[in-house]
Amino acid sequence: MKLSYSWLKEYLACDLNPQQIAEAMTSIGIEVDSVSEEEEIPGGLAGVVVAEVKECEAHPNSDHLHITKVDDGSGELLTVVCGAPNVAAGQRVLFARVGSVLPGDFKIKKSKIRGVESLGMICAEDELGIGNDHSGIKVLPADAPVGTSAKEYLHLKSDAVIEYEITANRVDAASHIGVARDLYAYLKLNDIPCSFSYPDVSAFEEGEGEAIPVDVVDVDGAPEYQGITIRNVKVGPSPEWLQKKLFSIGLHPINNVVDISNFVLFELGQPLHTFDADKIAGGKVIVRRAGENEKIVTLDGVERTLHANDMVIANAEGPMCIAGVFGGIDSGVTENTVNVFLESAYFDPGSIRKTSKTHGLQTDASFRYERGADPGIIPFAARRAALLIQELAGGTVVGKVQVSYPEPIRKKVIDLDYDRIEKFIGKKIGHDVIENILGWLAYDFIEKYTDANGAPSGAKVAAPSYMIDVYRECDVVEEILRIYSYNNIELPHSMKMSVGTTPVPDPEAVRNYISNFLAANGFAETMNNSLTKSAYYAGLATLPEERCVRIVNPLSADLNVMRQTLILNGLEVISYNLNRQVNSLKTFEYGSVYQRLPETDGKTLASYEEHQCFAMFISGTTAKSWRNGGQKGSYFELKGYLELLLKRYGVDIYSLEAQAAPSDIFAEGIVYSLPGTHEQLATIGTVLPALARRFDIRQPVFAAEICWQTLLKLAARVKVKFQEMPKFPEVRRDLALLIDESVSYADLSRAAHKAVKKILKQVSLFDVYRGDKIPEGKKQYAMNFIFQDPDKTLTDQEIEKAVDRLLATFQNSFGAVLR
């Protein structure tokens, strides 16, 4: 955002130089990026001088060109080919010498035109950036001194331009008046001589006759709307002073009426819009919501399809502009406009932001409206613009100002306790200082409070309408501190603070460990938006669409609910990569998921739940190498990583309760829960092909989702103990058992550890067989058992006794048969 130093000083009279102004702005919370000295016209028209046309004759090889001899004060006549119809001998003109660079980065070179060498260019107004006229060259008075630089002759000045940034809540500083107002308070506090004033609009008067009426259909979308009708205006180029102001902040003049609306925008911060009054069909301005799929062609020539929540300014035939965002091409002011309707309004910020984002239109007007314009400045801005139009374009105000303001936006009333404010600040700055700062910032004192001694102790104040984010006493403290300056709050000699203890386990450390573990094993971390589309949950019984947390005003149908699981986001990532020929994928994500939960009666949906999850995905085949032909990702590969992670935090996956994973998400898989509870720890499986195809995925996807809070709970139980390496050897035994299909490895493992507690170190399954010579309903498990005693070497008799005990347990508990 740009601020002209000379323009600023029209409202803030002070002796500070541009650098001091910039330092003061930064001190009060308006961050300055740079201060630069800029010419009124870029380049300052270096190389352009006043010259005299000594000779002028028709070009022999053209019906419109002329060959001239030009005296530029250098002592020799220069041959210049000119195509302007008004060029003539004896004229004083502005001449660009060879090597000059005109606005638009147009460099003047020696050239040959229709066989005649041309050594420069006689310029028109628009070529020099001093006007819009291109009908002919700029002819100067006969007494213009030849050889004088254009910069000197035209009295072009340089101006300091301050580039700055504002935060989202400081739209009040997006204008010269807004910055001047804050600086005034700062300078007054620091006893620097200054004065601050608004432009004078007291000369504005309503006219006679009938003004164009206004009908605000949607008051919620346009709480305040004012319109002024001005007839018999003359549209043309803006005067030099107005053009220079717009040039100084990077804007290009268009015509006097449009330039005035832009000038007031950057002067006061209030967006305005001007309509050609003769193009308002039906003779009435209608402020309403657009019809669904209603069309409008905007100023950039693009036909746009509107939505039912878009605010429009319309006439009897249809929309004239997208309210607060962009004008329409058929209703704007042109050189043929005679009558003007001037709009000054306050539009609902949420509505403007949604429209701006939906249509991808970011304009100076929408920037201010969506952050919250000042409802109190609207009548002032309308009158300021109307007076300028009368001054610069003629015309007469017709009828009364059309006003729609059924429910005035009230100022926020706040009770202040000065002692409490000083405690917030951390320094006794003085009650009189607090009142002075608030007065300079235009707070209204409704009532002042005093203590028992009659000294000021507090007040009831009304915050100025331009302060959109001031609601509470702490907000007022922030404004006081801005002006007082944080740099003036000394650090105390001692500071008291509470030191929080680090939780055990530290969630951040656990998360980093898991992320590092997965990254070290070839997984890539992904990050997805928590907002997603409700259509993903259509038809999912375990994650029904009605359990989604819905967004009240979604930006689009693709971002209208909060996600219930990380798995669908992961499928989006896999699809995105597959479409770009990345076929081998191992990814993981950490993030929050959200759900609406049923009430205790199981019917009413009301409460909400948010918790974090870790998700892992494997899909595709690893790259081929000279050692192997590429390995396909599998369920068991992913399960191996899950086992290692859980083992790191003392969780044996086979000690958990297991049940089938939901069939609407997984073709096959397992849900692991804590024993004796319904608290889920992890879900792992092969994603249902039908679900994958909804994301245009045609290859197997293996996914796992870990409940973060449950994992942390388990991690908290882990007590790491260090002990010596075993001094005595371990003994291995294998058993082949014929068992029922219903018996799981986890059942056998638990029973084994229960039967042989001290010396059974490890149980593992290394083969599963079904088929020839195995009865139907049966399967064969080949299991390995490792025995070790920490205190002695085990004898054969002890080993055989332990194996017999295992066999007896398996036979009695599961009907196992040794093969």
Side-chain angles (χ1 to χ4, degrees):
M1 198 161 290
K2 291 186 175 182
L3 185 82
S4 164
Y5 172 71
S6 60
W7 189 354
L8 176 75
K9 292 195 69 175
E10 292 182 13
Y11 318 110
L12 179 70
C14 67
D15 294 330
L16 271 64
N17 61 40
Q19 192 60 47
Q20 291 170 320
I21 289 286
E23 290 171 1
M25 288 172 64
T26 299
S27 180
I28 59 178
I30 305 173
E31 185 178 355
V32 172
D33 292 332
S34 64
V35 180
S36 59
E37 197 76 16
E38 294 188 12
E39 305 283 351
E40 284 185 28
I41 297 175
L45 299 182
V48 181
V49 296
V50 176
E52 182 179 0
V53 180
K54 291 292 189 179
E55 302 175 14
C56 180
E57 58 184 40
H59 195 299
N61 298 323
S62 171
D63 59 357
H64 69 282
L65 296 176
H66 298 84
I67 301 174
T68 65
K69 296 289 185 180
V70 175
D71 175 14
D72 68 345
S74 62
E76 63 174 304
L77 295 181
L78 302 174
T79 301
V80 178
V81 178
C82 180
N86 64 331
V87 65
Q91 292 174 334
R92 299 290 169 96
V93 296
L94 289 171
F95 173 68
R97 292 168 172 163
V98 172
S100 304
V101 180
L102 302 184
D105 201 29
F106 181 64
K107 188 172 184 178
I108 304 300
K109 300 177 182 178
K110 184 190 296 185
S111 60
K112 188 170 280 191
I113 304 175
R114 299 284 179 94
V116 177
E117 188 174 60
S118 182
L119 302 174
M121 186 172 82
I122 304 173
C123 301
E125 281 186 3
D126 65 332
E127 292 165 334
L128 296 171
I130 59 174
N132 297 317
D133 188 10
H134 193 69
S135 60
I137 59 172
K138 173 76 172 175
V139 179
L140 305 178
D143 60 352
V146 173
T148 303
S149 70
K151 180 177 180 179
E152 180 182 346
Y153 180 78
L154 296 172
H155 306 292
L156 298 181
K157 299 176 182 177
S158 61
D159 184 19
V161 174
I162 300 171
E163 283 205 54
Y164 67 100
E165 295 180 2
I166 59 172
T167 53
N169 64 329
R170 291 302 316 281
V171 70
D172 60 286
S175 66
H176 286 72
I177 284 284
V179 174
R181 180 174 51 217
D182 272 11
L183 286 172
Y184 171 71
Y186 175 79
L187 298 180
K188 289 290 288 183
L189 180 67
N190 290 280
D191 296 324
I192 299 174
C194 64
S195 63
F196 170 68
S197 60
Y198 279 87
D200 183 14
V201 297
S202 59
F204 176 82
E205 293 181 354
E206 294 181 321
E208 298 180 353
E210 291 295 323
I212 295 174
V214 172
D215 180 14
V216 179
V217 178
D218 193 310
V219 176
D220 291 335
E224 183 176 3
Y225 192 94
Q226 295 202 9
I228 298 176
T229 304
I230 306 172
R231 299 198 180 277
N232 300 318
V233 301
K234 184 175 181 179
V235 177
S238 295
E240 185 178 341
W241 69 265
L242 179 53
Q243 293 193 38
K244 287 179 178 179
K245 277 184 166 55
L246 297 180
F247 274 128
S248 70
I249 57 172
L251 297 182
H252 290 281
I254 299 173
N255 60 54
N256 48 6
V257 175
V258 174
D259 292 349
I260 286 168
S261 64
N262 285 331
F263 170 78
V264 173
L265 170 64
F266 287 92
E267 178 187 53
L268 301 174
Q270 172 60 32
L272 303 173
H273 194 73
T274 50
F275 298 89
D276 187 325
D278 295 324
K279 295 178 181 178
I280 301 176
K284 179 192 284 187
V285 172
I286 305 168
V287 185
R288 60 173 174 82
R289 298 282 178 181
E292 189 65 34
N293 297 323
E294 199 169 11
K295 307 288 186 182
I296 184 173
V297 179
T298 47
L299 287 171
D300 55 1
V302 176
E303 183 180 72
R304 301 182 188 276
T305 301
L306 302 174
H307 305 291
N309 55 359
D310 295 331
M311 287 293 297
V312 295
I313 311 301
N315 56 33
E317 295 179 353
M320 296 188 292
C321 80
I322 304 175
V325 179
F326 210 23
I329 199 168
D330 296 326
S331 61
V333 173
T334 67
E335 64 274 8
N336 300 317
T337 297
V338 176
N339 303 313
V340 170
F341 179 82
L342 173 65
E343 167 195 281
S344 180
Y346 175 83
F347 297 111
D348 174 59
S351 175
I352 298 300
R353 177 173 175 79
K354 192 170 184 178
T355 296
S356 174
K357 297 299 180 186
T358 300
H359 295 285
L361 293 170
Q362 180 70 57
T363 61
D364 288 326
S366 68
F367 176 86
R368 288 158 176 79
Y369 276 131
E370 67 186 35
R371 285 162 175 78
D374 176 8
I377 201 71
I378 286 167
F380 185 93
R383 286 155 176 74
R384 171 69 164 155
L387 286 171
L388 286 171
I389 290 174
Q390 289 178 288
E391 177 187 343
L392 304 182
T396 306
V397 173
V398 177
K400 294 186 177 298
V401 177
Q402 300 298 295
V403 178
S404 172
Y405 201 15
E407 294 186 20
I409 299 172
R410 302 187 183 280
K411 294 181 178 181
K412 279 87 73 177
V413 176
I414 305 159
D415 273 313
L416 305 179
D417 182 312
Y418 295 159
D419 287 335
R420 188 165 57 232
I421 287 175
E422 289 182 327
K423 285 181 180 178
F424 271 127
I425 292 173
K427 178 181 178 180
K428 288 188 176 295
I429 64 175
H431 296 176
D432 56 334
V433 171
I434 293 174
E435 290 190 349
N436 287 338
I437 290 175
L438 295 178
W440 294 325
L441 290 176
Y443 278 79
D444 294 330
F445 285 86
I446 300 171
E447 185 179 354
K448 292 187 178 183
Y449 309 135
T450 57
D451 58 19
N453 299 319
S457 63
K460 178 183 286 186
V461 299
S465 57
Y466 70 82
M467 288 191 173
I468 59 169
D469 68 331
V470 174
Y471 295 93
R472 302 167 298 168
E473 186 180 58
C474 58
D475 300 325
V476 178
V477 174
E478 183 182 346
E479 298 303 315
I480 295 170
L481 260 175
R482 265 196 323 105
I483 303 303
Y484 187 78
S485 181
Y486 288 90
N487 295 332
N488 291 328
I489 307 298
E490 301 86 359
L491 287 174
H493 295 296
S494 62
M495 298 181 70
K496 297 178 181 179
M497 64 184 71
S498 59
V499 179
T501 57
T502 303
V504 179
D506 182 358
E508 193 64 26
V510 175
R511 178 185 167 188
N512 286 338
Y513 173 83
I514 295 175
S515 298
N516 291 336
F517 169 81
L518 293 173
N521 282 280
F523 285 79
E525 184 171 10
T526 64
M527 296 179 69
N528 289 287
N529 198 334
S530 294
L531 298 176
T532 185
K533 60 172 69 175
S534 58
Y536 283 164
Y537 296 92
L540 298 183
T542 51
L543 299 172
E545 189 175 350
E546 59 267 21
R547 295 278 291 274
C548 289
V549 178
R550 292 191 171 274
I551 306 303
V552 176
N553 292 309
L555 293 176
S556 71
D558 289 342
L559 300 170
N560 61 351
V561 298
M562 307 293 281
R563 62 188 177 189
Q564 293 190 61
T565 177
L566 300 182
I567 290 177
L568 301 183
N569 282 130
L571 293 178
E572 280 186 327
V573 172
I574 291 171
S575 175
Y576 181 89
N577 282 273
L578 290 177
N579 290 335
R580 286 154 183 79
Q581 307 303 313
V582 181
N583 300 315
S584 179
L585 294 161
K586 292 168 71 175
T587 66
F588 74 96
E589 181 180 5
Y590 171 85
S592 295
V593 296
Y594 312 82
Q595 269 194 337
R596 297 186 71 183
L597 297 179
E599 293 292 333
T600 53
D601 60 7
K603 297 177 182 179
T604 308
L605 290 172
S607 58
Y608 299 90
E609 180 195 51
E610 174 187 352
H611 65 270
Q612 289 72 44
C613 291
F614 251 104
M616 301 183 290
F617 301 88
I618 293 179
S619 183
T621 305
T622 58
K624 294 181 180 181
S625 72
W626 62 272
R627 293 182 299 159
N628 58 62
Q631 183 179 351
K632 288 186 178 180
S634 69
Y635 166 84
F636 294 103
E637 181 185 3
L638 185 61
K639 183 170 177 282
Y641 291 121
L642 179 62
E643 279 192 55
L644 287 173
L645 272 179
L646 296 181
K647 192 173 183 179
R648 167 63 180 80
Y649 294 103
V651 181
D652 179 5
I653 199 169
Y654 301 106
S655 67
L656 301 171
E657 292 184 356
Q659 61 186 45
S663 59
D664 53 349
I665 298 177
F666 296 99
E668 55 182 359
I670 299 174
V671 176
Y672 291 107
S673 303
L674 300 188
T677 72
H678 296 292
E679 199 168 353
Q680 290 188 8
L681 172 61
T683 304
I684 182 170
T686 305
V687 174
L688 193 69
L691 179 60
R693 282 195 295 271
R694 287 169 59 178
F695 294 84
D696 199 26
I697 300 172
R698 308 292 172 178
Q699 66 186 37
V701 178
F702 310 99
E705 191 171 59
I706 305 171
C707 180
W708 175 245
Q709 296 300 82
T710 309
L711 179 62
L712 276 184
K713 188 185 296 184
L714 291 173
R717 302 176 186 175
V718 176
K719 305 298 181 184
V720 178
K721 295 181 180 180
F722 296 91
Q723 60 186 30
E724 289 185 86
M725 292 289 290
K727 298 179 180 179
F728 304 99
E730 60 185 30
V731 180
R732 297 172 181 265
R733 290 289 188 270
D734 295 337
L735 293 177
L737 301 173
L738 185 67
I739 56 176
D740 292 335
E741 281 282 6
S742 60
V743 179
S744 68
Y745 164 71
D747 294 333
L748 297 174
S749 178
R750 280 194 294 267
H753 282 288
K754 191 174 181 180
V756 182
K757 294 181 179 178
K758 182 180 179 182
I759 65 171
L760 182 59
K761 181 180 178 182
Q762 184 177 322
V763 180
S764 60
L765 176 68
F766 63 87
D767 186 47
V768 180
Y769 177 70
R770 298 177 180 87
D772 188 32
K773 298 181 181 179
I774 301 296
E776 189 173 346
K778 299 284 187 178
K779 60 186 174 183
Q780 178 183 290
Y781 273 0
M783 302 177 68
N784 177 259
F785 301 86
I786 299 177
F787 302 94
Q788 188 176 44
D789 191 317
D791 301 321
K792 63 180 181 178
T793 300
L794 291 171
T795 63
D796 290 341
Q797 292 83 359
E798 290 172 318
I799 297 299
E800 293 306 322
K801 185 178 178 181
V803 171
D804 290 342
R805 194 179 305 132
L806 289 176
L807 280 172
T809 299
F810 295 152
Q811 290 167 352
N812 296 332
S813 300
F814 307 107
V817 177
L818 180 66
R819 286 176 62 84

